[in-house]
Amino acid sequence: MEVSEDDLRIINALQIAPRISWSDAAGILGVHATTLAARWDRLREAGAAWTTAHLIGDPKQMCLALVDVDCEMRQRAGVTAALAAMPEVVTVEEAASNRDLMLTVITPTLAYFSDTVVPQFKDIPGLLKYRTALCTRLHVGGYAWRLNVLDKAQQNALRLLAGPEASGSAPPAVAGAPLPQSHLDLIPFLAQDGRATAAEIARGLGRSPATVQRQLNRVLASQLLSFRCEMAQKYSGYPVTCQWFANVPPGQHDSAGAELRGFRNVRLAASTTGRTNFVIVMWLHSLADVMNAELALQQRIPGIELAESVVVLSAAKRVGWMLNPDSTATGAVVPSAGLGLDA
């Protein structure tokens, strides 16, 4: 399919305000609400764009792990499928060097990762070895990535109309009270459609719309979930993903994270344990931009040491959504629902 500039404007609007009504968006974008809804339905049906919600993985609240996996070459497809089927494994990517697969794993605690997730790795035929880096601080996430095709006035207007889910797209300063299971039951519906209404969720759960609306309001305000509008990478203008394993001097991680928030193409920046202490992921225009990005990182982050760069060959799963080889969404979702977060 073709993704037009008007389509990109809709995606950009939902990146800023994922749950904004089409009537409110119409007044900002200058397009009739029914036209916006029809265009969005077309994008979703083609797997070109989608809205979702997932556990934010902030290390202050839960365990966020980055796992490298080695597997038998002839069994790579089976290993990939088995890992992608695990709800705790939110992202699965095929790497070009030094590891076969790269995983992002979110669990309620380190003990849950060790006692529940790791044993499942060991039971997957063809999975030979895994190495884990644990995130100690999340500086930037994919929720912050923007197309930036709208003008400043439109972006500001969208921010004013964005609901609490927009503020929940970054780790809260203070962790709130755990949500009860009745509220966590809403997560699979929001993972499937970040714009799901209380009425739609109520039908799925067999509850009254008024009850679900109260529960939804609390979930949105909790900042436990990251709401985002995602798109097929091939339509983004940034078809190349590169991940750097880096070392940043102690005491400079927060300043490095603040600097990286000024890079428009950063998808992840996190402090980690392991052989290196910092991970950066960017979407780039081309392979030639890998060197340009490295130069920019070294110029803007004093003392950074880029130990290794890894280009991603393909992604089988991104924040719960299964992907086709061309980066479009299949429509299948493995939500990270519950995970015992009320325990």
Side-chain angles (χ1 to χ4, degrees):
M1 68 171 291
E2 294 293 328
V3 175
S4 68
E5 284 298 315
D6 288 335
D7 293 331
L8 295 178
R9 286 157 56 87
I10 295 172
I11 294 170
N12 195 179
L14 294 183
Q15 287 176 330
I16 299 169
R19 292 178 59 83
I20 192 172
S21 70
W22 292 126
S23 58
D24 285 341
I28 298 171
L29 300 181
V31 180
H32 197 278
T34 55
T35 301
L36 291 176
R39 286 178 177 169
W40 176 247
D41 287 343
R42 170 178 165 270
L43 289 168
R44 286 197 70 203
E45 290 169 3
W50 58 96
T51 55
T52 188
H54 62 92
L55 295 170
I56 197 167
D58 177 36
K60 294 192 295 290
Q61 294 177 291
M62 55 197 73
C63 176
L64 174 61
L66 304 177
V67 182
D68 291 341
V69 170
D70 295 332
C71 52
E72 288 277 4
M73 181 180 298
R74 294 178 183 177
Q75 298 190 62
R76 179 180 292 185
V79 173
T80 300
L83 290 168
M86 297 173 60
E88 299 88 355
V89 179
V90 298
T91 296
V92 180
E93 297 171 311
E94 183 179 356
S97 60
N98 295 332
R99 71 275 293 151
D100 294 315
L101 301 172
M102 297 192 298
L103 316 178
T104 303
V105 183
I106 299 178
T107 58
T109 63
L110 177 59
Y112 188 105
F113 175 78
S114 301
D115 299 339
T116 303
V117 175
V118 169
Q120 294 180 66
F121 291 165
K122 297 175 181 177
D123 290 338
I124 296 174
L127 194 157
L128 300 177
K129 187 178 181 181
Y130 68 91
R131 295 171 298 278
T132 301
L134 300 169
C135 291
T136 56
R137 186 160 300 177
L138 181 63
H139 302 284
V140 183
Y143 55 77
W145 186 81
R146 300 285 184 266
L147 280 169
N148 287 327
V149 295
L150 297 175
D151 62 40
K152 293 295 184 183
Q154 291 171 318
Q155 294 181 39
N156 290 335
L158 286 162
R159 291 189 189 99
L160 290 174
L161 291 176
E165 76 281 355
S167 62
S169 292
V174 179
L179 295 176
Q181 188 60 48
S182 61
H183 292 56
L184 296 173
D185 290 343
L186 277 61
I187 296 178
F189 297 90
L190 295 170
Q192 183 72 50
D193 180 4
R195 295 175 56 79
T197 65
E200 291 167 341
I201 298 173
R203 286 195 293 270
L205 291 175
R207 300 175 185 172
S208 75
T211 296
V212 172
Q213 186 64 66
R214 289 193 298 271
Q215 295 168 343
L216 179 59
N217 290 342
R218 185 178 172 192
V219 170
L220 295 179
S222 71
Q223 298 186 18
L224 180 71
L225 298 179
S226 174
F227 285 78
R228 64 170 77 181
C229 178
E230 281 284 6
M231 67 182 303
Q233 191 172 358
K234 74 172 187 175
Y235 295 124
S236 69
Y238 299 86
V240 175
T241 300
C242 187
Q243 177 167 322
W244 286 270
F245 298 88
N247 286 304
V248 172
Q252 296 187 27
H253 284 226
D254 286 345
S255 60
E259 191 66 42
L260 286 164
R261 284 190 282 274
F263 285 68
R264 62 167 295 183
N265 52 345
V266 170
R267 296 279 302 190
L268 175 72
S271 300
T272 67
T273 63
R275 291 173 292 180
T276 54
N277 66 13
F278 211 94
V279 167
I280 303 165
V281 178
M282 292 189 192
W283 280 9
L284 304 171
H285 289 298
S286 68
L287 286 172
D289 281 335
V290 172
M291 184 175 295
N292 296 333
E294 290 179 348
L295 179 60
L297 289 170
Q298 290 174 330
Q299 289 176 337
R300 294 173 59 174
I301 302 177
I304 190 171
E305 175 193 346
L306 301 175
E308 183 185 6
S309 60
V310 180
V311 172
V312 172
L313 297 178
S314 65
K317 183 182 184 183
R318 191 196 313 156
V319 288
W321 280 68
M322 304 301 295
L323 304 182
N324 293 307
D326 68 350
S327 78
T328 57
T330 67
V333 183
V334 184
S336 54
L339 291 180
L341 289 170
D342 59 335

